[in-house]
Amino acid sequence: MGDPAISRFPIPDLNALPEDIKERILAVQEKSGFIPNVFLALAHRPDEWRAFFAHHDALMERDSSLTKAEREMIVVATSGANGCPYCVVAHGAILRIRAKNPLLADQVAINHRKADITPRQRVMLDFALKVCRNSDEIVEEDLDALRAEGFDDDAIWDIGAIAAFFAQSNRLANLSSMRPNDEFYTLGR
Amino acid sequence: MGDPAISRFPIPDLNALPEDIKERILAVQEKSGFIPNVFLALAHRPDEWRAFFAHHDALMERDSSLTKAEREMIVVATSGANGCPYCVVAHGAILRIRAKNPLLADQVAINHRKADITPRQRVMLDFALKVCRNSDEIVEEDLDALRAEGFDDDAIWDIGAIAAFFAQSNRLANLSSMRPNDEFYTLGR
Amino acid sequence: MGDPAISRFPIPDLNALPEDIKERILAVQEKSGFIPNVFLALAHRPDEWRAFFAHHDALMERDSSLTKAEREMIVVATSGANGCPYCVVAHGAILRIRAKNPLLADQVAINHRKADITPRQRVMLDFALKVCRNSDEIVEEDLDALRAEGFDDDAIWDIGAIAAFFAQSNRLANLSSMRPNDEFYTLGR
Amino acid sequence: MGDPAISRFPIPDLNALPEDIKERILAVQEKSGFIPNVFLALAHRPDEWRAFFAHHDALMERDSSLTKAEREMIVVATSGANGCPYCVVAHGAILRIRAKNPLLADQVAINHRKADITPRQRVMLDFALKVCRNSDEIVEEDLDALRAEGFDDDAIWDIGAIAAFFAQSNRLANLSSMRPNDEFYTLGR
Amino acid sequence: MGDPAISRFPIPDLNALPEDIKERILAVQEKSGFIPNVFLALAHRPDEWRAFFAHHDALMERDSSLTKAEREMIVVATSGANGCPYCVVAHGAILRIRAKNPLLADQVAINHRKADITPRQRVMLDFALKVCRNSDEIVEEDLDALRAEGFDDDAIWDIGAIAAFFAQSNRLANLSSMRPNDEFYTLGR
Amino acid sequence: MGDPAISRFPIPDLNALPEDIKERILAVQEKSGFIPNVFLALAHRPDEWRAFFAHHDALMERDSSLTKAEREMIVVATSGANGCPYCVVAHGAILRIRAKNPLLADQVAINHRKADITPRQRVMLDFALKVCRNSDEIVEEDLDALRAEGFDDDAIWDIGAIAAFFAQSNRLANLSSMRPNDEFYTLGR
């Protein structure tokens, strides 16, 4: 077929996948109307696939004082900094939907300092980008700046752990040259 | 007690942990003679803990054309680049043991270009460090350089995915200011 | 009114502007259905306004072996590298329209290496980004790489001069915190 | 002839230029005793030439609370940061003349922190260099630091817009490998 | 013989060296039990050898308000930043011995922010690393931060001059690919 | 007195200096007509002074296949990269004199790629700047590029060791905010 490749690495046939993985993928397809390419691009390694999505869900679906939109802001801002097309485009769509705001994802991906966010969210993203770029330079003063905005230790962990998880995710997507589904570009606009 | 903290975040009591986590930790303690701090520092988030170690094992324990020592080289080189004391010290110990070489870990952590490794391993670490630092700049030519040294797609994924996993791991350790156990500093020397 | 500011600097009343500037702005409004904010944000300095748009038009409207879509690719790629929301969003819209491609602008803004462009366009953008980031390091070999793809001196000047003009434009937009019109986000999708 | 080239791009014959451009060039030659190479190196593109010099004059000749020497300091400091020989050497000469100070241009080009300037001028150049290097990181606090030194919005625009204009100018000079006239090296010493 | 080379440049025969150099080397060997490779790797240039070690001793052996362990911390932290295996490994051993602390050298080499040092030593190393990486950006405020921790001008000179001396030393070691003696890896552990 | 300070650190009285240092300084003054400030700014530490100038002379005065002008080019190019006003201005003067070329020092300080030098000298300065900025990344291929231009090991050592020595020198000058003598600015123009 003539479609552009969605990964540099092999994409297994859906029916050849372990049952649990196949089921999850079909459930996502049912809900979204399409299969986001990340579910296919990681499937050549079932154990890594399971751990990856379990980790993703543990961070992104848990009860947290961060809203789901705020968590997607962290994903989009750090993925922009890492030059990762898959994560900016796919999570940009999710951010537009979660925030019910068609402009926010592009703003956050390009330059969070100019985005339509609150000062508290600005501090949150400043920290997420430090985890993304210079985690070795994190000092106690950085956490104090978060606490001054009302983030407790649990929220601080969420900010940092989401930035860390997508540090991995962005690298896997850039390693495999993972292609965002065309559908994501317009969702939520 | 007067011992230095092993994390900025809370360390749960071992007996309060879910049974599966407690069991794995006790098994590690039994085998190593001590509990590596990463097992405790992540335990305040059981679901993340499970996903993290499942992912770690899937990459580091699987059958691969990369030796276990080579995989640890990737960890140590990228963790050095990320300024992550826990991972350099802990995986430095494992590298010394796996490679049966007391000098290699320090060499790889400081500057892999001067390390006692083969030209093939040098190319492997060059790529791992590109995934670590500039994954957005990965191009087909980078993969060709690996193929020229005999790495197949499966091995290339392993190199990149290990570098990506420790991009996450280093950030979690720097976020939490995770302290390496004293025992690691001298193991395998 | 409660609308967000479009610039840190004063926005003159349209009717208080010199006749030539007012006329051009009304003509643009007539054609586009709205006034792109850059026309207002620079208007507090009429002489600079005139020179800026004259320079813009001289580069972007002239007969050139670069297509208009290719010229917009240069704008979007370098503006992404400079973290300039106004230029990425506004020229992203123009790129989508010029290229009749709803996906291209986001791809080029995030990481041109993964965009749906030809190898020749990839070399064009590699050079534009060198002008953008490290113009001091330009050497004859860089121009040779362009010539090998069939770009002649006139086209090379266009690539470099567009990247240079938007180096200025991005800085003016970031200086003034210029806000993209909401309309641009969805044009051409 | 054996003189070194003044540009990688074609230099039109003076008599073949449009009348307005030729006149301006002859007037400059009359006044300075020589033709600064930038007037010739851009002349292969008459419309761009006109816009470029109109913009230059609008910024550098206007009434401003910045002295002409201060404006040249901005040019020299940012051109030094951009590694642009033409602009450092040519505007270094103008700065020496405007400031009636034979040492200042070299000081500002190499490291403005050590230059014989006032604390207010130091803050001005700190900001100009942020526009030059990291305009995406400009925040309101940066403008406050300028206001604390007595710069009003009009002066702040001048600082930023001059830095932005020479971001373009430096890139055109580096693109074309524009050669400074020998005369500039000693003027004003 | 099959030992790895200790330098890219020639190593003179010990007996062919000028008497003063030979004597010093034999005295070091007597005291340490082996000849640190730096004494041999620089010996092909006797005048440079003499100046280098005279400068080293003047800084590292003088009476100073900095302890000898603190001076070695500066060496190890800056050598880590410069990716210099010889200096990290050799001076890491000396630091372990001087500080009677088997963990400190690895901590300081990887990330001084997480090392078991006092806040005053942390400020000392922050400054040493600024001298190492961005000496052009040193401003009076940096010295004030040191004075606030009780460092007087004499101590500040020592910090800066040791960082400067090892900026040279690291470059000579990296130029020559100088190999640390195996003995250093375990000394003081 | 109203003269600007030549250093942040104390300047000893000439007559209070050890005889050998005083003699050398008076000899330089006799020859040059003034005392270059570096001789005074380092004199508060006589042992370091002696080692510093001995090392300087060993490198800069020795018989070498590099001309004295070429050695000064290395000093000026690397000092420009390090933002060191003293070394750029003082050694710029010496370079003009050694090369009998009034333009060369400014060219090399701003951007050696555009300087009036031979291709062989260009390769020499490329390597010197790698020693200056990224000595950890030096690989055998870098030395091969020098050998291809006819530099032997002795010349390669000179290039690298001069770049290394001025890595130290630039840091000492930036540490002390060492002021270039006014005389240097015009010497050799």
Side-chain angles (χ1 to χ4, degrees):
Chain A
M1 67 174 197
D3 285 351
I6 67 173
S7 169
R8 282 190 180 108
F9 293 87
I11 304 295
D13 188 83
L14 192 55
N15 291 310
L17 289 175
E19 202 53 34
D20 60 320
I21 293 180
K22 183 177 161 189
E23 255 176 51
R24 168 84 187 264
I25 290 179
L26 291 176
V28 171
Q29 185 180 31
E30 171 95 7
K31 189 177 163 197
S32 310
F34 64 98
I35 305 172
N37 288 334
V38 64
F39 286 93
L40 300 173
L42 300 182
H44 65 113
R45 292 282 180 102
D47 288 343
E48 298 167 36
W49 191 102
R50 290 184 188 101
F52 180 90
F53 288 105
H55 209 158
H56 174 276
D57 295 351
L59 287 164
M60 303 303 281
E61 306 291 339
R62 77 187 289 272
D63 279 337
S64 162
S65 60
L66 304 182
T67 66
K68 287 193 175 178
E70 285 171 338
R71 283 178 263 182
E72 295 296 335
M73 285 180 206
I74 295 169
V75 179
V76 172
T78 58
S79 298
N82 284 330
C84 177
Y86 186 85
C87 299
V88 171
V89 172
H91 286 271
I94 305 176
L95 173 52
R96 285 191 294 272
I97 291 167
R98 296 278 194 226
K100 300 184 202 308
N101 180 330
L103 310 185
L104 199 54
D106 291 340
Q107 294 173 352
V108 166
I110 303 166
N111 192 337
H112 78 287
R113 293 172 203 85
K114 312 291 172 67
D116 294 333
I117 55 176
T118 65
R120 183 177 178 275
Q121 289 167 340
R122 165 76 192 284
V123 171
M124 175 187 80
L125 293 181
D126 284 344
F127 184 72
L129 284 162
K130 188 161 188 180
V131 174
C132 169
R133 288 179 174 134
N134 302 106
S135 73
D136 58 319
E137 297 181 9
I138 294 174
V139 288
E140 208 53 35
E141 286 75 6
D142 295 311
L143 282 83
D144 290 342
L146 290 164
R147 289 173 191 131
E149 292 289 342
F151 293 103
D152 62 13
D153 272 11
D154 217 47
I156 294 173
W157 179 270
D158 280 340
I159 300 169
I162 292 168
F165 180 79
F166 280 88
Q168 173 182 233
S169 184
N170 295 164
R171 282 163 179 78
L172 289 176
N174 279 332
L175 169 68
S176 57
S177 206
M178 200 183 292
R179 182 178 175 85
N181 304 60
D182 292 3
E183 288 86 346
F184 282 126
Y185 288 82
T186 44
L187 273 175
R189 290 203 182 266
Chain B
M1 68 173 194
D3 284 352
I6 67 173
S7 169
R8 282 189 180 111
F9 293 88
I11 304 296
D13 188 82
L14 191 55
N15 290 311
L17 289 175
E19 203 53 32
D20 61 320
I21 294 181
K22 184 176 159 188
E23 255 175 52
R24 166 87 185 263
I25 290 179
L26 291 176
V28 172
Q29 185 180 32
E30 171 95 8
K31 189 177 162 195
S32 309
F34 64 97
I35 305 172
N37 287 333
V38 64
F39 287 93
L40 300 174
L42 299 182
H44 65 113
R45 293 281 180 103
D47 288 343
E48 299 166 37
W49 191 101
R50 288 183 190 102
F52 180 90
F53 288 105
H55 209 158
H56 174 277
D57 295 351
L59 287 165
M60 303 302 282
E61 306 292 340
R62 78 187 289 272
D63 279 337
S64 162
S65 61
L66 304 182
T67 66
K68 288 194 173 177
E70 285 170 338
R71 285 178 261 181
E72 295 296 333
M73 284 180 207
I74 296 169
V75 180
V76 171
T78 58
S79 300
N82 284 328
C84 177
Y86 186 85
C87 300
V88 171
V89 172
H91 287 271
I94 304 175
L95 173 52
R96 285 190 294 271
I97 292 167
R98 297 280 194 225
K100 300 185 203 310
N101 179 332
L103 310 185
L104 198 55
D106 292 339
Q107 293 172 353
V108 166
I110 302 166
N111 192 337
H112 77 287
R113 292 173 203 83
K114 313 290 172 68
D116 294 333
I117 56 177
T118 65
R120 183 177 178 274
Q121 290 167 338
R122 165 76 191 284
V123 171
M124 174 186 81
L125 293 182
D126 284 344
F127 183 72
L129 285 161
K130 188 161 189 180
V131 174
C132 169
R133 290 180 172 133
N134 302 104
S135 74
D136 58 319
E137 298 180 9
I138 294 173
V139 287
E140 208 54 35
E141 286 76 4
D142 295 311
L143 282 81
D144 290 342
L146 290 164
R147 288 172 191 132
E149 292 289 342
F151 293 103
D152 62 14
D153 274 10
D154 217 47
I156 293 173
W157 179 271
D158 279 341
I159 299 169
I162 293 169
F165 179 79
F166 281 88
Q168 173 182 232
S169 183
N170 294 165
R171 282 163 179 79
L172 291 175
N174 279 333
L175 169 68
S176 57
S177 207
M178 200 183 293
R179 183 179 176 85
N181 305 59
D182 292 2
E183 288 86 345
F184 282 125
Y185 289 81
T186 44
L187 274 174
R189 291 204 183 266
Chain C
M1 67 173 194
D3 284 351
I6 67 173
S7 168
R8 282 190 180 110
F9 292 87
I11 304 296
D13 188 83
L14 192 56
N15 291 310
L17 288 175
E19 203 53 34
D20 60 320
I21 294 180
K22 184 178 160 186
E23 255 175 52
R24 167 86 186 264
I25 290 178
L26 291 176
V28 171
Q29 185 179 33
E30 172 95 7
K31 189 177 162 197
S32 310
F34 64 96
I35 305 172
N37 288 335
V38 64
F39 287 94
L40 300 174
L42 299 182
H44 65 111
R45 292 283 180 101
D47 287 345
E48 298 167 37
W49 190 102
R50 289 183 189 101
F52 180 90
F53 288 106
H55 209 158
H56 175 276
D57 296 351
L59 287 164
M60 303 302 282
E61 307 291 341
R62 77 187 289 271
D63 279 337
S64 163
S65 60
L66 304 182
T67 66
K68 287 194 174 178
E70 285 171 338
R71 284 178 262 182
E72 295 296 335
M73 285 180 207
I74 296 169
V75 179
V76 172
T78 59
S79 299
N82 284 329
C84 178
Y86 186 85
C87 300
V88 172
V89 172
H91 286 271
I94 305 175
L95 173 52
R96 284 190 294 271
I97 292 167
R98 298 279 194 225
K100 299 184 202 311
N101 179 330
L103 310 185
L104 198 55
D106 292 339
Q107 293 172 354
V108 166
I110 301 166
N111 192 338
H112 78 286
R113 291 173 204 83
K114 311 290 172 68
D116 294 332
I117 56 176
T118 65
R120 184 178 178 273
Q121 290 166 340
R122 163 77 191 283
V123 171
M124 176 187 80
L125 293 181
D126 284 344
F127 184 72
L129 285 162
K130 187 161 189 179
V131 174
C132 170
R133 290 180 173 133
N134 302 106
S135 73
D136 57 319
E137 297 180 10
I138 295 173
V139 288
E140 209 54 35
E141 286 75 6
D142 296 310
L143 282 81
D144 290 341
L146 290 164
R147 288 175 192 128
E149 292 289 343
F151 293 103
D152 63 12
D153 273 10
D154 218 46
I156 294 173
W157 179 269
D158 280 340
I159 299 169
I162 292 169
F165 179 79
F166 281 89
Q168 173 182 232
S169 184
N170 294 165
R171 281 163 180 78
L172 290 176
N174 279 333
L175 168 68
S176 57
S177 206
M178 200 182 293
R179 182 180 176 84
N181 304 60
D182 292 2
E183 289 86 346
F184 282 125
Y185 288 81
T186 45
L187 274 174
R189 290 202 182 265
Chain D
M1 68 175 195
D3 284 350
I6 68 174
S7 168
R8 283 191 180 108
F9 292 88
I11 304 296
D13 188 84
L14 192 55
N15 290 312
L17 289 175
E19 203 53 34
D20 60 320
I21 293 179
K22 183 177 161 188
E23 255 176 51
R24 167 85 186 264
I25 290 178
L26 292 175
V28 170
Q29 183 179 34
E30 171 95 8
K31 189 178 162 196
S32 309
F34 64 98
I35 304 172
N37 288 335
V38 64
F39 287 94
L40 300 174
L42 300 182
H44 65 113
R45 292 283 180 101
D47 288 343
E48 298 166 36
W49 190 102
R50 289 183 189 103
F52 180 90
F53 287 106
H55 209 158
H56 174 276
D57 295 351
L59 287 165
M60 303 303 281
E61 306 291 341
R62 78 187 289 271
D63 278 337
S64 162
S65 61
L66 303 183
T67 67
K68 288 193 174 179
E70 285 171 337
R71 283 178 262 181
E72 295 296 336
M73 284 180 207
I74 295 168
V75 180
V76 171
T78 59
S79 299
N82 284 329
C84 178
Y86 185 85
C87 299
V88 171
V89 172
H91 287 272
I94 304 175
L95 172 52
R96 285 190 294 271
I97 292 167
R98 296 280 194 226
K100 299 184 201 311
N101 179 331
L103 310 185
L104 198 54
D106 292 339
Q107 294 173 352
V108 166
I110 303 165
N111 192 337
H112 78 285
R113 292 173 203 84
K114 312 290 172 67
D116 294 333
I117 56 177
T118 65
R120 184 178 178 273
Q121 290 166 339
R122 165 78 191 282
V123 171
M124 176 186 80
L125 293 181
D126 284 344
F127 184 73
L129 284 162
K130 188 162 188 179
V131 174
C132 169
R133 289 179 174 135
N134 302 105
S135 73
D136 58 319
E137 297 181 9
I138 294 174
V139 287
E140 208 54 35
E141 287 74 7
D142 295 311
L143 282 81
D144 290 341
L146 290 165
R147 289 174 191 129
E149 291 289 342
F151 294 104
D152 63 13
D153 272 11
D154 218 47
I156 294 173
W157 179 270
D158 280 341
I159 299 169
I162 292 169
F165 180 80
F166 280 89
Q168 173 182 230
S169 183
N170 294 165
R171 281 163 179 78
L172 291 175
N174 279 333
L175 168 68
S176 57
S177 207
M178 201 183 291
R179 183 179 175 84
N181 305 59
D182 292 2
E183 288 86 344
F184 281 126
Y185 289 81
T186 44
L187 273 174
R189 291 201 183 267
Chain E
M1 66 174 196
D3 284 352
I6 66 173
S7 168
R8 281 191 181 109
F9 293 87
I11 304 296
D13 189 84
L14 192 55
N15 291 312
L17 289 174
E19 203 53 36
D20 60 321
I21 293 180
K22 184 178 160 187
E23 256 176 50
R24 168 85 185 263
I25 291 179
L26 292 176
V28 171
Q29 184 181 32
E30 170 95 8
K31 190 176 162 196
S32 309
F34 63 98
I35 305 172
N37 288 334
V38 65
F39 287 93
L40 300 174
L42 300 183
H44 66 111
R45 291 283 180 100
D47 287 344
E48 298 166 37
W49 190 101
R50 289 182 190 103
F52 180 89
F53 288 105
H55 209 157
H56 174 277
D57 296 351
L59 287 164
M60 303 303 280
E61 306 291 340
R62 77 186 289 271
D63 279 337
S64 163
S65 61
L66 304 182
T67 66
K68 288 193 172 177
E70 286 171 337
R71 284 178 261 181
E72 295 296 333
M73 284 181 207
I74 296 169
V75 179
V76 172
T78 59
S79 300
N82 284 329
C84 177
Y86 186 85
C87 299
V88 172
V89 172
H91 287 271
I94 305 176
L95 173 52
R96 285 191 293 271
I97 292 167
R98 296 281 194 225
K100 298 183 203 311
N101 179 331
L103 310 185
L104 199 53
D106 292 339
Q107 294 173 351
V108 165
I110 302 166
N111 192 337
H112 77 285
R113 292 172 203 85
K114 312 290 172 67
D116 294 333
I117 56 177
T118 65
R120 183 178 179 274
Q121 288 167 340
R122 164 77 191 282
V123 171
M124 175 186 82
L125 293 182
D126 284 343
F127 184 73
L129 284 162
K130 187 161 189 180
V131 174
C132 170
R133 289 178 174 135
N134 303 105
S135 74
D136 57 319
E137 298 181 9
I138 294 173
V139 288
E140 208 54 34
E141 287 75 6
D142 295 311
L143 282 81
D144 290 342
L146 289 165
R147 288 173 192 132
E149 292 288 343
F151 293 104
D152 63 12
D153 273 11
D154 218 47
I156 293 173
W157 179 270
D158 280 340
I159 299 169
I162 292 168
F165 179 80
F166 280 88
Q168 173 183 232
S169 183
N170 294 165
R171 283 163 178 78
L172 290 175
N174 279 332
L175 168 68
S176 57
S177 206
M178 200 183 293
R179 182 180 177 83
N181 305 59
D182 292 2
E183 289 86 346
F184 282 126
Y185 288 81
T186 43
L187 272 175
R189 291 201 183 266
Chain F
M1 65 172 198
D3 285 350
I6 67 173
S7 168
R8 283 191 179 108
F9 293 88
I11 304 296
D13 188 83
L14 192 56
N15 290 311
L17 289 174
E19 202 54 34
D20 60 321
I21 294 180
K22 184 177 160 187
E23 255 176 50
R24 168 85 186 263
I25 290 179
L26 291 176
V28 172
Q29 183 179 34
E30 172 93 7
K31 189 176 163 198
S32 310
F34 64 96
I35 305 173
N37 288 334
V38 64
F39 287 94
L40 301 173
L42 299 183
H44 65 111
R45 293 281 181 103
D47 287 344
E48 298 167 36
W49 190 103
R50 289 183 189 103
F52 180 90
F53 288 105
H55 209 158
H56 174 277
D57 296 351
L59 288 164
M60 303 302 281
E61 306 291 339
R62 79 187 286 272
D63 279 336
S64 163
S65 61
L66 304 182
T67 67
K68 288 194 173 176
E70 286 171 336
R71 284 178 263 182
E72 295 296 334
M73 285 180 206
I74 296 169
V75 179
V76 171
T78 58
S79 299
N82 284 328
C84 177
Y86 185 85
C87 299
V88 172
V89 172
H91 286 272
I94 305 175
L95 173 52
R96 285 190 294 271
I97 291 167
R98 296 279 194 226
K100 299 184 202 310
N101 179 332
L103 310 185
L104 198 54
D106 292 339
Q107 294 173 352
V108 166
I110 302 167
N111 192 337
H112 78 285
R113 293 173 204 82
K114 313 290 173 66
D116 294 333
I117 56 177
T118 65
R120 183 178 179 274
Q121 289 167 340
R122 164 78 191 283
V123 171
M124 175 187 81
L125 293 181
D126 284 344
F127 184 73
L129 284 162
K130 187 161 190 181
V131 174
C132 170
R133 290 178 172 136
N134 302 105
S135 74
D136 57 319
E137 298 181 8
I138 295 173
V139 287
E140 209 54 34
E141 287 75 5
D142 295 311
L143 281 82
D144 290 341
L146 290 165
R147 288 174 192 131
E149 291 289 343
F151 293 103
D152 63 12
D153 273 10
D154 217 47
I156 294 173
W157 179 271
D158 279 341
I159 299 169
I162 292 168
F165 180 80
F166 280 89
Q168 173 182 233
S169 183
N170 294 166
R171 282 164 179 77
L172 290 175
N174 279 333
L175 169 68
S176 57
S177 207
M178 201 184 291
R179 182 179 177 85
N181 305 60
D182 292 2
E183 288 86 345
F184 283 126
Y185 289 81
T186 43
L187 273 175
R189 292 203 182 266

